[in-house]
Each structure stands twice: as structure tokens, then as C-alpha cells.
Amino acid sequence: GAGVSQSPSNKVTEKGKDVELRCDPISGHTALYWYRQSLGQGLEFLIYFQGNSAPDKSGLPSDRFSAERTGGSVSTLTIQRTQQEDSAVYLCASSLGLAGISYNEQFFGPGTRLTVL
Amino acid sequence: AQSVTQLDSQVPVFEEAPVELRCNYSSSVSVYLFWYVQYPNQGLQLLLKYLSGSTLVKGINGFEAEFNKSQTSFHLRKPSVHISDTAEYFCAVNDSTSYDKVIFGPGTSLSVIP
């Protein structure tokens, strides 16, 4: 596609339920990132994929959060047993992920707004 | 550990007035610096970046930023703002040993008043 897409755009769920957020990166981009943007906060790094592997999971806030990427393309972020503090906008970004280049620009999707009641 | 500070959470400014959005960072290694803009209900878009070379970098929509290593700052400026510049602006940094991990500041909300 032309850009990074995310679905759903909005998700309202009840506390304790599981949710899945989806990210479709730009075709050909090998690197994929998940961030969380809480009200009044900056972007919090969650996890980074290079291909299907996740060399950096350091930002996942708890073991309720997990992410996977299959086929080097689509990624799913899963939050189990959601809590009210999980309410935020979850942003996905992708980049070419080329090794040896000083910087790979990240392109962001529009985000998924998650509200936990 | 790296961190990014944006001291001004909200900046109101009249249309056609100049604006400066402040950003300071902390890092013990060489850094790459970025400004991203997020228009209402949209994703983040790269405004400009400093990787090396000239400390004054120009970006889209008439914005520019100056890297000051001694003051560890990367302030964003525009000589004359437009209503359409109303958005959230994020300063970000990644160090040269971790090209793919970017640390974002808390953001500055720019409101342009007609």
C-alpha cells in the first residue's frame, strides 16, 4: 500500500478483555516498530521487529503485552486482560531497515485509539 | 540513558508571528536528532532531521532547526506561522549505536491563533 495502515482505528473494550491491534507496514519495509502514545505523554517505544524477529522487546510494559510478525509483513500487538491504564493511542511505524545505513526513516501509521472501560 | 526534554507543553502564537519550540537532549554518545509533526487525527510525519554536517537544517513547511552540541539543544523555529501549522511537535533522538531505536520527547502543542 501507499503507507502504513492500522486497524481498527478505534477500539473500546471492557477491563479484563483481550485485544488485538494490527499493523500493515509499507511494502518492502523490513523493520517495524510499535509505540504507545498516552494523553499528554510522548511516544513510548514498545517493540521493534527486523523481519520476523524482535531484537528489542525492552519497551513492553508487562507480560500482558506481546507482539508477533509473520511473513515479514503484518504485525499484531496483543494486550491480554486489559487494564484502564492501557488506554492510549498505539502507533505503528515501518522503515527500510537497511543495515549499514546510518538512519532509516520511520513512516508512521494513523494509530489505533484504545479505550479500556 | 538518553532522554529528550521539551519544556513547553503548549505554545500559543498569533498567525504570522515567529515561533521557537525548544528541545534539549541528554546522551553520552553521538546522536541523530529529529522533529516530527502530528496534525490532528493523523500519524506522525518527519519534519526534519540532523545526522551530520551543517548544524542548521531545513525541513518541510518552512521550518528549520539548529543543532547546538555544547548546549545539547535542537530548537525548532519558523519565522512566520500559519493556521495550518497547528499541531503537536515531537523532538526525538537516537544514538549512533542504535540506529533503529528512537526516543521521543513529550511533545509541544502549537496553537496558531488567527
Side-chain angles (χ1 to χ4, degrees):
Chain A
V4 179
S5 61
Q6 293 185 246
S7 61
S9 56
N10 281 283
K11 177 72 176 178
V12 180
T13 190
E14 294 179 349
K15 178 181 173 181
K17 301 279 189 181
D18 298 351
V19 295
E20 284 190 354
L21 312 180
R22 177 187 167 105
C23 172
D24 279 277
I26 293 173
S27 178
H29 280 193
T30 62
L32 186 147
Y33 314 79
W34 283 99
Y35 296 88
R36 179 167 69 175
Q37 184 179 21
S38 303
L39 189 64
Q41 305 291 318
L43 273 72
E44 176 187 4
F45 170 83
L46 298 179
I47 189 169
Y48 151 61
F49 286 92
Q50 179 62 258
N52 290 337
S53 65
D56 192 345
K57 303 180 182 179
S58 62
L60 294 177
S62 76
D63 58 9
R64 297 187 294 107
F65 287 71
S66 62
E68 64 176 15
R69 189 180 186 195
T70 55
S73 182
V74 173
S75 175
T76 302
L77 177 69
T78 301
I79 309 173
Q80 296 178 307
R81 305 179 303 280
T82 53
Q83 303 294 312
Q84 288 183 333
E85 61 262 29
D86 298 334
S87 295
V89 175
Y90 289 82
L91 291 168
C92 175
S94 70
S95 75
L96 284 170
L98 298 176
I101 291 182
S102 62
Y103 173 66
N104 289 273
E105 180 178 344
Q106 297 184 17
F107 296 83
F108 284 81
T112 293
R113 182 175 298 278
L114 174 66
T115 303
V116 182
L117 302 177
Chain B
Q2 295 167 282
S3 65
V4 179
T5 303
Q6 293 180 249
L7 290 175
D8 306 306
S9 60
Q10 296 184 343
V11 174
V13 61
F14 286 104
E15 192 174 16
E16 297 183 4
V19 69
E20 178 179 83
L21 305 184
R22 296 180 292 169
C23 172
N24 289 86
Y25 67 92
S26 65
S27 176
S28 59
V29 297
S30 299
V31 296
Y32 302 145
L33 294 155
F34 315 92
W35 277 98
Y36 283 83
V37 59
Q38 186 177 32
Y39 298 105
N41 300 314
Q42 295 186 27
L44 272 76
Q45 177 182 358
L46 183 66
L47 200 56
L48 49 78
K49 62 182 181 287
Y50 170 79
L51 302 182
S52 65
S54 173
T55 58
L56 182 64
V57 292
K58 296 186 183 297
I60 60 173
N61 301 336
F63 283 92
E64 63 180 32
E66 186 158 18
F67 170 55
N68 187 318
K69 188 175 181 179
S70 63
Q71 296 185 4
T72 60
S73 68
F74 191 55
H75 301 330
L76 181 70
R77 302 184 185 100
K78 186 171 182 177
S80 175
V81 295
H82 189 266
I83 293 289
S84 60
D85 293 324
T86 294
E88 191 83 15
Y89 291 80
F90 294 93
C91 183
V93 61
N94 71 340
D95 70 63
S96 56
T97 63
S98 179
Y99 303 138
D100 295 301
K101 185 171 180 178
V102 179
I103 307 299
F104 287 84
T108 295
S109 178
L110 175 64
S111 298
V112 180
I113 306 164

